[in-house]
Every structure is written in C-alpha cells, then in structure tokens.
Amino acid sequence: MLLRLTFFFLFALLCTNSRAQVSFGEATLLDDGWRFLRVDSAWNIVESPDMAQPSYDDTRWRQVQLPHDWGIELPMSPDKASCQGYLPGGIGWYRRLLHIPPSEGSGASIASSSPLLPEGGGAKQKFFLYFEGAYSHAEVFVNGERAGHRPSGFASFLCDITPHLRPDGQNMVAVRVDHSEEADARWYTGSGINRHVWLIRSPQIHLAQWGTAYRLQSISRGKAIVEVDVETTDERLTRTPVQLSAVVELADADGRIVATARTPISTQEKKTVRLSVKNPQRWSLDKPYLYTLHTRLLNGGTDATPAAVCDSSTVKAGLRTLQFSPDRGFALNGQWIKVKGVCLHDDAGALGTAVPREVWRQRLTELKRIGTNAIRMSHNPHMPELYDLCDELGLLVMDEASDEWEFPKRKWLKGWNQGAPGYQGTYTFFEEWIEHDVADMVRRDRCHPSVFLWSIGNEVDYPNDPYSHPVLDGGTGGFTQPMYGGYKPGQPHAERIGHIAQRLAAVVRGIDTSRPVTGALAGVVMSNATAYPEAVDVVGYNYTESRYDEDHARYPKRVIYGSENRHDLPAWQAVEQNDHIFGQFLWTGIDYLGEAGIWPARGSSAGLLDLKGERKPIGWYRAALWSEEPVCYIGAYPLALQSANDGNYVSSWAPDVWSYDEGQRVRVVCYTNAASASLTLNGMPVGGEAKRDSATAILYWDLNYQPGTLRCQAANGASYELYTCRQPQGLRITVGERKAGERVSIVTIEAVDGDGRTAYLADCEVALHLEGPARLLGMENGNIMQVPPVRRAPHYRAPSRLRLHGGRLVAYILAEEAHAPIKVRATAPLLQSAELTL
C-alpha cells in the first residue's frame, strides 16, 4: 500500500538587495565600515576587555568588509589541524560605529495617537542587529554592554540593541568571535563574521521574526488554495492588546496581484488567512516559477482616513507538492523522479567561507548542467543566499542541523584517518542550544520551495564514534564504515540517539509538517536496534547501498534514500534500478577545504568540481550518468597505471591530457550517454570499435601514443577533443557572466600556445595587477596539494601571485564602485602579458 507522506508547500523567503530575510522591519546592510583585529600571541597582540568599550582606540585595526573569514587570510602550517585544512582559528574582534538618530533610538518617546507608526509620530523604535552567521561563539556588545551571543557558528541570530543605544546617537558595536578551539569540526569552517550583518529597524509592534509561514492546502490546474500564517510580536513594556489588521497579497512574476486576503489580528497573536490563486504556476526543477508575497500590518483607519502601515514583509514565493512512498520513492508535483544530489560544504577554496553570491551562482549552475537536481547542506545551515539561488535555479535542498550531538566525534589532526584524533567540538553547547538551533533552522528556511527535507543530524550514529551497542559484537556484517572495534560498554549507549532523535524531530514537526524529517545514518545496523529510524519520516543511508533491499523487506513502511554516497556506478545503479530508493547525495559536489590528507594537502578532492568551480573528469563521468543532454568527454592515462593497480585504476578520473612519450601505450576513456563513439587522430580513424568496461560503463580504447589532435564523436552528436600540449606563448584573460546588480567578477587566467589553445602543462607563477576601484578577493588554481601564498591585505598594492595548475587559475574581483572601469593585467615570466577591462 502506498504510504502517503504527502507534503504540500510552499513559498520562498528570499533576501533582496534591500531586505534581510527576517520578515519584519526595515533592513540596512552593515557589511562596510568594520575594523578587525585578531588576537595573536606571536605578535604580542593581547586581548583586552576594553575592546568592547566605545573609548577603546581601534584606529590601528585593519579595515575589513563583511563577510570576512580571517582563517583563509593566514598561512597554512603543519602544526595546525588537517580537519581545518591546516589553517588557524583563534580569537578575533570586530568594531563598527553605528549612527542612530536620538529621536529614533534611546530618546524619550513622544506622545502619539499611534504608538506603532515607524515615521512621523515620534514614537520610540526598536533596533536589532541580525547576523546571518559568525564562526563561532559570537558575543555582541553595544556601547560596552553585552547585547547577545550565539555559540553556533552556523546559526542566524538576532540581537535587540535598543536598550543599549546612546542618547547622542553615536553607538559602538563590538563583536568578539572565539574560534580558539580550532579543531572543532571535521571540515574547514572559517573564522569570523563570515556572513552578512543587517541593522533592522521596526516599530515596537511588528511582524514576528521568521513568523510568516505558508501551506498549500490544494492545487489543480485551475486553482490553488494557500494558507498564510501571520504572526506579530509586541516589544512594549506594557503589552496592552492592540487591534490591528493584516493584508496579504500575492503577485505573479509580472507583478500582477492574483490573490489577496485580510484579517483582524491582535498583538502577540498568530492568524491564518486563505488565498485562492487562479491558474497557479508550479515551482519545478525545470521551471522554478516564483511569485511575490506582500504582507502588511495595519493600524487604525476609517472610511475617511487610510490605515497606517506599521510593518511589512515582501518575500518571493513558489508552489509545489512533495510525496514520499516506501515503494515508489519521491514525487515532485505528482511526478516520480530520482534525486540526483550532491553534498556541499561552506567554503570556496581561496575565498574560505566568505563566499559571494556570484560565486555560488556559478557553481550551482555548473552542477545543474552536470545533471544535479538536489543539494545537501552538509552538515549545517548555510548562508541564506545559497537557498535563494536554489529556489531561483530549480534545485531541491536537504537542510541539515548538525554533525555532532551530545558527545564529540573524532577530528583528524595529522591527516584524514592518520594518527591520534582530537575531540574538540560543538558538543559543549549541545544540551543548551540544539533545540533552539534546530527550531531556528526550520523557521528561517521553511519558506523556501527548494527545501524538501529537514535533517536533524549527520552520522551521529557512527559506530564507537562515540556511541556503542551490543550489536557491534555481531561481526562486520552490514557495516560499511570503520567500527573501531566491537561493543564497548564504556562508550555512550546507542539507545541515546533514538531518544535525542525523537526530541529533535518533535521540534521540527512543531514548526513545519509540510516536509519529512530525516537523518543521515552511518551505522544503519546499529541504529536499527534503536528508536532512531522510527523517529524520522525518511531514513538516509550513508554508504550503505548493500542494505537497501534487505531493509526494504524488513521495514516495508520505511522510506529509504542514499544521504551520502560514493561516485561509483554500482552506488548509482542501486538508485536507478530500485523504485523504492528515491535518490542519492554524492560525497561531494565540489572540492572543499579541510578533512585533508597529510601535509601539505589543504582539503578533499572528492568533488565533481574543483576548488575553482570548474568541472573535473569525474564531473563529466557523472554527467554521462545523470544529464539528459548529449554528453561526450575523453581523457587518457598511461596503460601502465591499470596494470600497476591490478586493473583497479579509477578510470572515471582520467584527465583530458594528450601529451605522452611517442609510442607509449595509452588508454583513452570516453564518458558518454550515447550507445557508441568513435575516435580519430589527426583526422584518421584509430582504435577501432570501443570496448565497454562493465564495472563503470565507460568506453575505452588502448592506443600507441602519437602527437596531434584526438577527437571523439559520440553517436548522440556530442564530441570532445584532446590535443598535444605545446609551449606556452602568452596569457589570456576571460571573464564569466555577471548579472545585473552583481559586483563580483570571476576572471580566468590561462597560459595559451601559439594557436590560442590552453597550455595545460604550464605551471608558471602569474602576477595579477588591478587598476581602478576594485579589490581582489582571492586567487584559486584548484590544486589541493599546493600551499597557497598568504593573501595580502586589500590596501597592499603589490601584485598578487599564484602558480597556474593545469594551465589555469581564477581570480575573484570585487567592484567597489558601480560602472567604473577596472583594468586587470596578468603577467608571467617569458610569456606575453594579457589585459582586460571589466
């Protein structure tokens, strides 16, 4: 029987240029004007409690713009933790002067006919600072007084600063960020205020933070019924009820109002209105249609006098339905589909975790070209703009709360699975904050149509890391990850995870029942002996494809999918060939910092894209499995690699290189979704009919290498060429697409030969020179094994330098003034320089 976990939803809350995503008040971006100092004993920079005081002299501190990650600016060192990419953490302070006119801030309120008016009445206003995230243990001070704090470096949080404002309007904001426990996560987290900060101004009675929620009750071709929850908050000391009204309007993509509703509402109350939408457009992966929802909170008004607008909220909106079945998998808008997902961490190579929207847009667009249709936010809530982009591009999102619960996991310090681990972590504030963090994740992100799963945790059931259970003494059957020995009575008992899962799932369901709760299980065999799988609605299996059929038979009502998976063909076939497995999430979509091997590795190379966001051979292989467009790619490697590895060389990583010793035996592989393909070398057929490897479905030919141009033509019309690399003659600069309103350009610099083709063997050092109102955010060549030079401060005008890798690198350039020309010049020894004006 079909288990109908049918979830209708939703509308998307999107941050615009003028509004934060808090859903109330007037928002002003506060990314500029900050000064920063990192406490550093090596430089005799000591911390002082006076750093929070307005009188403290910070004129020698460095000026920075948010988002800011100080860790990526500092040198890698082998004495730092490999889990953090051998980069440091520490303690840092940020300070900024904030001017708020006395009449609006802490000055005495003037009597007014309406205590709610944001303008004109002289009424006292409320002011908040909204942090999208700061890693980690952020403490916020205003004029020396503590205004708020948040231990989690991934949580978005709001601080009421109104009680701390000065009568003269000059207010000093100071933020202390403490990442002194540098190895507190299994991957690179960055350090600092690495997301946007907003000033929120509102009346004392306003719409609640993240208080607007939307539920699709029904939808057909002709009509959709949507329920809209509107919640108010009363910040007054005397909360005498005030009668207001809420007006909700839905506009289509062209700005036409297509539905409206009004309801009376009191202070500190939540009301629900219904919208009837004619001929609704659905949000889908191919056509991610977005409406706009306007909500206004009104006070007063008569037949002769219009009501005053106390507060308002404008959000983007999208309608779609979700359905989950233990036998048929997952359906979006009634269509059963396979989820082709990838896991992502927060960083972007040289940018660290302070990643501009433009960079994420470029990366998500390339992942979608590969065939990806879902993103797993591993293993924490990510920056809000990333969800906005998924809404706009048509990508499903698995939102995830945490990687660690009440006890610490192993954090590798000298290389992944090397030596003795460390045990720092977020467990120190788990009991006090986890329910708050989970609730805030759901409230913040519940209006995104892209979000289709709530994950309460990742691999919290890893065997003996830290939980244990007697079932571990039953041998290794069914376990696909290290067990660290059998049952250990001295370790926390695994039954605890079932109880915690029940608690956290209840938190999620108390806020949103439109999507299922899930968890990513690493020790499925052990968890099956606990209440964990039954506490969630949908069960994620990490690297445990071998149990899909057995557990489907044993637990016929369980909805199963791959929450973390390898890149190999059998892992995908376990999804493709089983209706009851609705998808997988590859580890990982993009190479990332941290979780690195032994020094000097700075990260993991498990991605479909490299650190500079460009497709790798494994990305082409995945496109051949996932994409609905014609795909053809060829790569090559010495056949000796196949023999040296007992025939187990991973041919899905073959580079597009055609430069070997003449006569050397070479294997050419083809990744294609066509039934067949053929090869020519310098225009002449070579290789004969391709063979197909049954383990990978890859076509291949074994040839004696000869220089020239090797071309593959697939039967589906797609083609790909390799060519023999020649000596580089010069440099070339190109720039990626930049949409209206975007300020960051992604610039590619590559060495080229005399024919203008990329000299992919070039690895010379390139110097980048900028002229004009611009700032270099970072340079990245994608080489995981290369220790990059220390990033220079923005005011340091010497050229920045980085070696090419594969003949290429990218630079991220921020325009500091609109429409002003920026000249980019690249130079390298013995090569012709290149210039480009942005």
Side-chain angles (χ1 to χ4, degrees), residues 73 363 507 553 588 696 803 836:
E73 299 175 338
R363 292 174 170 225
V507 171
T588 177
T696 61
R803 300 190 74 86
L836 178 72

Side-chain angles (χ1 to χ4, degrees), residues 486-498:
Y487 174 50
K488 297 182 178 180
Q491 297 281 104
H493 199 283
E495 287 181 354
R496 300 175 66 92
I497 62 178

Side-chain angles (χ1 to χ4, degrees), residues 107 145 199 285 311 333 380 385 498 638 764 766 776:
E145 299 175 349
L199 173 67
L285 301 177
D311 199 8
N333 295 322
N380 49 264
E385 287 171 306
C764 55
V766 170
L776 179 66

Side-chain angles (χ1 to χ4, degrees), residues 263-274:
T263 184
I265 188 170
S266 181
T267 50
Q268 295 293 116
E269 185 180 17
K270 182 169 70 174
K271 277 290 190 71
T272 301
V273 299
R274 289 168 68 90

